[in-house]
């Protein structure tokens, strides 16, 4: 077929993605490839282009023989430009690649002026690339991160779907501000420079779009419980918004959360599921994103693969908050924030337990009720609740969850004690009024998981378009 008339290459020859081109059976055939030029180098006889099309971290080498191509025709083939090449795929003599394309035709889609293309050079810092967030997906690093992120999202759906969980979509705009998980972004169509007022001078929200104050959700859990107490086992996977002004490498103002919620699960079932779930995601990434993980390991984090495999092959340590606090106090270590029973653990405490004391992921349970949300199941001791936080090396808290308080009276008492308005809560309390069941759930911050799997250290680098205080440009 093609070999019969090598000169007359069909115009509509099917494009091969670079991720598929390293297939040995393709050697010797004519191929059509399209992508962005990473580099061009060479001499006056031959020019080499490293081509990438985003399908893989691997570049394809294109060889331009200057007896077939004029130097002029290659002048605009610079870093960042986009091209279409056809030619024969042959085994490569050069180091570092198994095959290369001997170019026969070249079509230039778009130039990228070397004077102004921001990613002209290799080896930009991650800080620099954050300023160029609109173009950084074109780099090898961000290509890898984004492919891993996509694979993890798929793994999450696969895990839950194969277990018979149902994907439930909870609202992004909510009227209840009682989740207590963080400050909220208000949603309004009222004119901010001319607010309607009631007689006593307050903002008249009856004139607002929903007739009441609304905000972007900080968690889908409360609605998730409505799903779980009907469908049995559900999970959410969607964006959440927190207006907390915490400029840390682990917090975003807009992040994605996975929140499974399960009827008839107690805290132990909940911990078992959380552990199985994160291990599944990590092992999926190791199996399906090997090149990307190895690339990131080589450039950023030499121990990455080892750390991922370590987490896979070890049981998470389970202990109570009280036991954790005792270990921290006995450690003799000087922490920036002192530890005492009743205080919330800081990231430095969580990481001490995980990285220095146990050297394994840790699940801490039974936290003081005062530092946890109202919906957590109250323990017999009257002081603690059946909470569970999963703590990871380098990350700290990756999952927060609990068995939920299923008893109507106890839940109501706690809501009243905290002064949470009933207008926000009546529908939630109905789950306990009608056919209440023991149930549990947790929330995994998707970007924290992507941080762990990629070995990156700043959460701004694992979401395509990070939203943080003072940053919503791209
Ligand atoms: P932290 O103590 O780290 O601020 P949290 O206790 O406020 O977290 P939860 O309300 O329990 O977090 O949310 C569940 C999960 O969502 C957390 O375990 C974490 O993985 C993730 N998460 C929480 N806040 C953020 C944020 N601002 N950016 C990214 N992920 C977050
Ligand atoms: Mn938490």
């Amino acid at each position: 077929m093609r070999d019969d008339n090598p000169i007359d290459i069909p115009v509509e020859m099917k494009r091969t993605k670079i991720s598929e081109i390293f297939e040995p059976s393709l050697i010797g055939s004519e191929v059509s490839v399209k992508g962005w030029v990473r580099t061009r180098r060479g001499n006056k006889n031959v020019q080499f282009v490293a081509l990438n099309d985003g399908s893989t971290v691997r570049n394809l080498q294109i060889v331009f023989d200057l007896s077939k191509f004029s130097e002029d025709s290659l002048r605009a083939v610079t870093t960042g430009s986009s091209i279409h090449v056809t030619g024969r795929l042959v085994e490569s003599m050069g180091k570092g690649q198994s095959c290369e394309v001997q170019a026969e035709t070249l079509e230039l889609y778009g130039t990228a002026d070397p004077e102004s293309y921001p990613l002209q050079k290799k080896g930009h810092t991650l800080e620099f690339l954050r300023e160029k967030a609109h173009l950084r997906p074109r780099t090898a690093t961000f290509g890898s991160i984004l492919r891993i992120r996509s694979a993890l999202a798929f793994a999450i759906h696969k895990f839950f779907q194969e277990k018979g969980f149902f994907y439930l979509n909870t609202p992004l705009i909510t009227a209840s501000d009682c989740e207590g998980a963080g400050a909220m972004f208000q949603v309004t169509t009222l004119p901010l420079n001319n607010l309607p007022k009631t007689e006593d001078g307050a903002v008249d929200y009856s004139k607002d779009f929903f007739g009441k104050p609304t905000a972007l959700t900080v968690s889908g859990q409360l609605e998730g419980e409505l799903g779980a107490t009907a469908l049995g086992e559900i999970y959410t996977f969607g964006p959440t918004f927190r207006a907390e002004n915490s400029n840390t490498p682990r917090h975003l103002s807009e992040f994605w959360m996975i929140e499974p919620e399960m009827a008839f699960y107690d805290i132990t079932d909940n911990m078992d599921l959380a552990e199985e779930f994160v291990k599944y995601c990590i092992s999926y990434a190791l199996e399906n994103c090997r090149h990307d993980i190895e690339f990131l390991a080589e450039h950023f984090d030499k121990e990455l693969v080892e750390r991922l495999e370590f987490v896979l092959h070890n049981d998470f340590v389970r202990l109570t908050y009280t036991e954790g606090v005792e270990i921290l106090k006995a450690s003799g270590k000087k922490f920036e924030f002192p530890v005492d029973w009743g205080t919330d653990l800081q990231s430095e405490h969580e990481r001490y337990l995980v990285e220095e004391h146990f050297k394994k992921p840790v699940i801490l349970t039974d936290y003081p009720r005062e530092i946890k949300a109202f919906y957590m199941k109250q323990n017999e001791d009257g002081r603690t609740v059946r909470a569970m936080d999963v703590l990871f090396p380098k990350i700290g808290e990756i999952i927060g969850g609990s068995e939920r308080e299923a008893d109507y009276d106890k839940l109501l008492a706690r809501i009243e004690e905290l002064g949470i308005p009933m207008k926000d809560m009546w529908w939630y309390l109905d789950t306990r009024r009608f056919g209440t069941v023991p149930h549990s759930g947790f929330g995994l911050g998707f970007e924290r998981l992507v941080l762990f799997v990629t070995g990156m250290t700043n959460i701004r680098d694992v979401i395509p378009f990070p939203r943080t205080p003072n940053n919503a440009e791209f």
Side-chain angles (χ1 to χ4, degrees), residues 179 181 218 242 244 246 250-257 259 344-345 350 372 389-390 397-401 443-448 459:
E179 224 284 316
V218 292
R242 296 193 185 177
E244 50 199 5
S246 45
R250 299 175 306 113
H251 289 89
L252 290 162
S253 315
E254 176 181 296
F255 65 100
W256 288 64
M257 188 141 66
E259 295 182 280
D344 209 354
L345 296 185
E350 297 173 344
K372 288 291 181 187
D389 278 8
V390 180
E397 178 185 330
I398 192 163
I399 286 179
L444 167 84
F446 185 46
E447 285 75 19
R448 301 240 177 124
I459 200 161

Side-chain angles (χ1 to χ4, degrees), residues 124-127 129-130 136 139-146 148-149 249-250 292-304 307-308 351 393-395 447-463:
H124 287 300
T125 64
L126 294 169
E127 288 78 10
L129 291 172
R130 257 170 245 150
R136 68 179 182 174
T139 63
T141 298
F142 283 89
S144 288
I145 293 168
L146 295 179
I148 293 170
R149 184 181 165 105
R250 299 175 306 113
D292 289 318
I293 289 175
E294 276 165 7
F295 175 85
L296 295 173
E298 188 186 325
H299 289 85
F300 295 97
D301 183 353
K302 297 275 182 281
E303 283 136 35
L304 179 59
R307 190 179 320 111
L308 296 177
R351 293 184 58 175
K394 295 193 71 174
I395 308 286
E447 285 75 19
R448 301 240 177 124
L449 176 68
V450 184
L451 266 182
F452 185 72
V453 172
T454 57
M456 292 290 111
T457 52
N458 193 316
I459 200 161
R460 292 165 182 77
D461 296 333
V462 298
I463 186 164

